[in-house]
Amino acid sequence: MTASADPVAFSDPVYREAVVDLLAAVGYGEVSAFERLAEDAKLAPTLEDKLALGTFASQQLAKAQLICARLAELGTDPFAMMETFRDGFERFHAHTAPSDWWEGLVKAYVGDGLANDFYREIAAFLDPETRELVLTSLEDTGHAGFVVDRVRAGIEADHRLAGRLALWGRRLMGEALTEAQRVAADRDALSALLAGGVDMPGLDLAAIGRMFARLTDRHVERMTGLGLEH
Amino acid sequence: MTASADPVAFSDPVYREAVVDLLAAVGYGEVSAFERLAEDAKLAPTLEDKLALGTFASQQLAKAQLICARLAELGTDPFAMMETFRDGFERFHAHTAPSDWWEGLVKAYVGDGLANDFYREIAAFLDPETRELVLTSLEDTGHAGFVVDRVRAGIEADHRLAGRLALWGRRLMGEALTEAQRVAADRDALSALLAGGVDMPGLDLAAIGRMFARLTDRHVERMTGLGLEH
């Protein structure tokens, strides 16, 4: 059991709860990404793109399995823990249902990019083993390059696509921030992890502000990478 | 290139075409199984079952990738070849859209079981390397056991389910045979493979009849395994 292999961090019940919450959020996010990518695969214009999206979907599910295994090791019911994040993710998806192949591509790229950046920021506050698992779980498996390639070619073929997708990217960012704030407000342990504790360094309001500035910068970089105004 | 590694079989262009057709059919069937299982995963009553179905879906896609690699090795465009089987599969799926979680489970089990039995029968007529690939591609990865477990528990909880699913199983069998006959009529090379040639043993009408009897027997066994009348 890692709780005993890493007694300092996990002896703090608030820390432990924060780690379980974080892993459960990452895990549900991956299950949800699987579902969304499998759904997007249906809209693929070619069988080759369908297989590519399906493969990205499968990789998300494989990552979710690793998270489940770790949640079980920590003595929790992985499915029950992940389930507590269902509403937040489903609300986000209900508000951002893509209307076509292009919106689906951009959503996966922007949404996963943003979520991954956020989890990476949080990972700095974790014990090494959990950090390693979270970072592995966020590794890009070629998906971002695929989206950039397809969207740039799409805009090349039809320039009007750029304006529509730029608006769509802004809307996704807004919806994601709304949900992230809701989650932060609901999860005391996660917020406490970010805020630090007696013997843990944390973030003050200014530092949280800087973190959001970094997340926004990276979002802008991603949109630019797609060839879109932000 | 296997064409030179196995010159005897592949020097016959009709044989080669039959193998390409067969692999393309198996491959498209796996892509299609991925899509259907991912769709069924949405209906899963628990997150645990959703992950299980998602994992079975991913395994189908991984198998399709193997088939694609082999089709490319044989010098064909795997996507173009698989595409030629789209209509048959889509017609079958359009006629057998499951109305709920249970019908989805039974469809995957009965449909894949029947298709796999059929491909196994054909595999007997193949060169060893192709046979090996086809048989590996058909290996059950735990999916059948999962369906049997869930459906038996479902019938235990609600006995009325048994009658409805038994009817559903018969309908699936009928639709599958209709599509299989259509494919056989369209694909001369595949039919020729079954019928044999100058230096290849084939099936006469009586042997084809016996093959269908075996397929039906196994279908009945599967339905009995689910606890259903056939």
Side-chain angles (χ1 to χ4, degrees):
Chain A
M1 287 283 126
T2 307
S4 50
D6 199 336
V8 182
F10 283 94
S11 62
D12 176 351
V14 174
Y15 177 78
R16 192 189 178 81
E17 188 185 335
V19 166
V20 167
D21 268 357
L22 177 65
L23 292 178
V26 173
Y28 193 89
E30 287 163 348
V31 174
S32 175
F34 164 79
E35 290 198 291
R36 197 194 50 215
L37 289 167
E39 192 72 21
D40 292 347
K42 285 197 232 163
L43 300 171
T46 67
L47 198 50
E48 186 170 8
D49 281 0
K50 190 189 287 282
L51 259 87
L53 264 269
T55 302
F56 297 133
S58 299
Q59 288 161 345
Q60 292 288 337
L61 203 79
K63 290 174 171 183
Q65 305 278 19
L66 289 180
I67 298 279
C68 283
R70 180 67 178 146
L71 282 167
E73 255 178 38
L74 289 171
T76 70
D77 173 347
F79 305 108
M81 293 314 304
M82 293 197 298
E83 197 74 59
T84 66
F85 286 93
R86 180 196 288 265
D87 287 352
F89 279 97
E90 296 309 320
R91 208 157 37 217
F92 173 72
H93 290 311
H95 290 169
T96 58
S99 69
D100 65 4
W101 165 246
W102 304 107
E103 290 190 4
L105 283 183
V106 172
K107 177 177 167 181
Y109 173 72
V110 163
D112 292 351
L114 194 60
N116 288 357
D117 284 344
F118 178 65
Y119 295 138
R120 254 185 223 107
E121 292 276 353
I122 294 190
F125 298 88
L126 298 172
D127 62 285
E129 194 184 344
T130 308
R131 181 163 57 232
E132 190 57 33
L133 175 64
V134 169
L135 293 180
T136 302
S137 200
L138 304 180
E139 266 165 26
D140 179 33
T141 49
H143 185 193
F146 175 85
V147 172
V148 169
D149 180 69
R150 293 302 189 273
V151 170
R152 294 193 83 108
I155 292 173
E156 193 69 33
D158 175 5
H159 289 275
R160 287 166 309 173
L161 195 57
R164 175 157 75 86
L165 292 181
L167 271 175
W168 175 243
R170 278 201 285 281
R171 174 139 159 250
L172 291 167
M173 181 69 173
E175 294 285 352
L177 289 180
T178 306
E179 275 316 318
Q181 276 176 319
R182 222 191 278 241
V183 168
D186 282 359
R187 303 279 166 162
D188 292 341
L190 266 185
S191 308
L193 178 70
L194 281 175
V198 178
D199 52 1
M200 282 194 292
L203 294 174
D204 55 18
L205 267 182
I208 290 183
R210 286 192 298 274
M211 183 179 89
F212 272 97
R214 284 192 299 274
L215 294 178
T216 308
D217 283 351
R218 289 196 208 109
H219 169 70
V220 167
E221 281 166 24
R222 268 189 295 273
M223 295 299 281
T224 308
L226 288 178
L228 298 177
E229 302 280 326
H230 41 83
Chain B
M1 286 286 123
T2 307
S4 51
D6 202 331
V8 181
F10 282 95
S11 62
D12 176 351
V14 174
Y15 176 76
R16 192 188 178 82
E17 187 185 337
V19 165
V20 167
D21 268 357
L22 177 65
L23 292 178
V26 173
Y28 193 90
E30 286 163 347
V31 175
S32 174
F34 164 79
E35 291 199 289
R36 196 194 49 215
L37 289 168
E39 193 71 24
D40 291 347
K42 287 197 229 162
L43 300 171
T46 67
L47 198 49
E48 186 170 6
D49 281 359
K50 190 190 286 283
L51 259 88
L53 265 267
T55 302
F56 297 133
S58 299
Q59 288 161 345
Q60 292 288 337
L61 203 77
K63 289 174 171 181
Q65 305 278 20
L66 289 180
I67 298 279
C68 283
R70 181 65 176 146
L71 283 168
E73 256 178 36
L74 289 171
T76 70
D77 173 346
F79 305 109
M81 294 314 302
M82 292 196 299
E83 197 74 58
T84 66
F85 286 93
R86 180 195 288 264
D87 287 353
F89 279 97
E90 296 310 320
R91 208 159 35 218
F92 173 72
H93 290 312
H95 290 169
T96 58
S99 70
D100 66 3
W101 166 247
W102 303 108
E103 290 189 5
L105 283 182
V106 171
K107 177 177 167 181
Y109 172 74
V110 163
D112 293 351
L114 193 59
N116 289 356
D117 283 345
F118 178 65
Y119 295 138
R120 253 185 224 106
E121 292 276 353
I122 293 191
F125 298 88
L126 298 172
D127 61 285
E129 195 184 345
T130 308
R131 179 164 57 233
E132 190 57 33
L133 175 64
V134 169
L135 293 180
T136 303
S137 202
L138 304 181
E139 265 167 25
D140 179 34
T141 50
H143 186 193
F146 175 85
V147 173
V148 169
D149 179 70
R150 291 303 189 272
V151 170
R152 294 193 82 106
I155 291 171
E156 192 69 30
D158 176 4
H159 288 275
R160 285 165 310 172
L161 196 56
R164 176 157 73 88
L165 293 181
L167 272 176
W168 176 241
R170 276 200 287 279
R171 175 135 160 253
L172 290 168
M173 182 68 173
E175 294 284 353
L177 289 181
T178 305
E179 275 315 317
Q181 275 174 319
R182 222 191 278 239
V183 168
D186 281 359
R187 304 278 165 165
D188 291 340
L190 267 183
S191 307
L193 179 70
L194 282 174
V198 177
D199 52 0
M200 283 193 292
L203 294 175
D204 56 18
L205 266 183
I208 290 184
R210 286 193 297 274
M211 182 178 89
F212 273 97
R214 285 193 297 275
L215 294 178
T216 309
D217 284 349
R218 291 197 206 107
H219 170 71
V220 167
E221 281 167 23
R222 268 190 296 274
M223 296 300 281
T224 308
L226 289 176
L228 298 176
E229 301 282 326
H230 40 83

